[in-house]
Amino acid sequence: EDKVVQSPLSLVVHEGDTVTLNCSYEVTNFRSLLWYKQEKKAPTFLFMLTSSGIEKKSGRLSSILDKKELFSILNITATQTGDSAVYLCAVIPRTQGGSEKLVFGKGTKLTVNP
Amino acid sequence: DAGITQSPRHKVTETGTPVTLRCHQTENHRYMYWYRQDPGHGLRLIHYSYGVKDTDKGEVSDGYSVSRSKTEDFLLTLESATSSQTSVYFCAISEQAGVYGYTFGSGTRLTVV
């Protein structure tokens, strides 16, 4: 069974801190790993990673994938209160027929205090 | 998100009644998905569709059915609502999830009393 485990489940930091969120996975025929940010409503897309060792970066957020060790990290530098959210990691197994179902972890709830 | 809408946004219903949630897209994407989100469980797949009239079960499909008679609409029906189906329901769409990921609707908060 495909499985995604995120850690920690929750994290409280102060503005300006740097945080690292972890995502490990077990999936048959890995295709892609995705990170989403969820505030009050729908998850919004952050990154998709398919190749090992290549960092994706967007402003203060960055992510990298290690396909050998089956994990990914999401880094947020100089955190702001607006970064408070649940961060979701998901993997897409490669399947015949292309149903492309995402398998999600339980999320990491990040709280950034002023 | 523009291009995908869910209705209703909120609903309170009584145990034992049937309930239908609607997902409507204007993106002409092939794949549509229904997930539920509960504290401590994250997002879990209920049913998905890979084309008109083509649907399949996800990991938590018991008590739910779906229909897709048009590309743009994917309906989720709770046959006889139970309190355990109190949840937030998200619809998602994709064309090539492995390339572009999913786009999510804003969610429907369903309370079964």
Side-chain angles (χ1 to χ4, degrees), chain B residues 18-48:
Chain B
V19 177
T20 296
L21 309 183
R22 181 182 184 234
C23 178
H24 178 77
Q25 61 146 330
T26 58
E27 304 295 325
N28 202 35
H29 283 340
R30 177 181 176 188
Y31 299 99
M32 299 185 77
Y33 310 82
W34 278 107
Y35 282 82
R36 60 179 289 176
Q37 187 173 36
D38 305 288
H41 290 280
L43 281 156
R44 293 179 293 174
L45 181 65
I46 305 171
H47 282 279
Y48 65 99

Side-chain angles (χ1 to χ4, degrees), chain B residues 1-12:
Chain B
D1 242 51
I4 177 171
T5 54
Q6 291 184 232
S7 59
R9 296 294 305 277
H10 300 274
K11 186 169 181 67
V12 180

Side-chain angles (χ1 to χ4, degrees), chain A residues 53-100:
Chain A
I54 297 176
E55 184 182 48
K56 292 285 185 84
K57 198 169 171 64
S58 175
R60 297 174 295 100
L61 277 67
S62 64
S63 184
I64 197 160
L65 174 67
D66 185 328
K67 289 169 76 173
K68 182 178 178 185
E69 300 297 331
L70 308 182
F71 78 90
S72 173
I73 60 172
L74 175 67
N75 278 321
I76 308 175
T77 59
T79 52
Q80 302 171 356
T81 55
D83 295 326
S84 295
V86 175
Y87 291 84
L88 299 168
C89 176
V91 296
I92 302 179
R94 190 181 299 277
T95 60
Q96 289 189 335
S99 60
E100 303 191 321

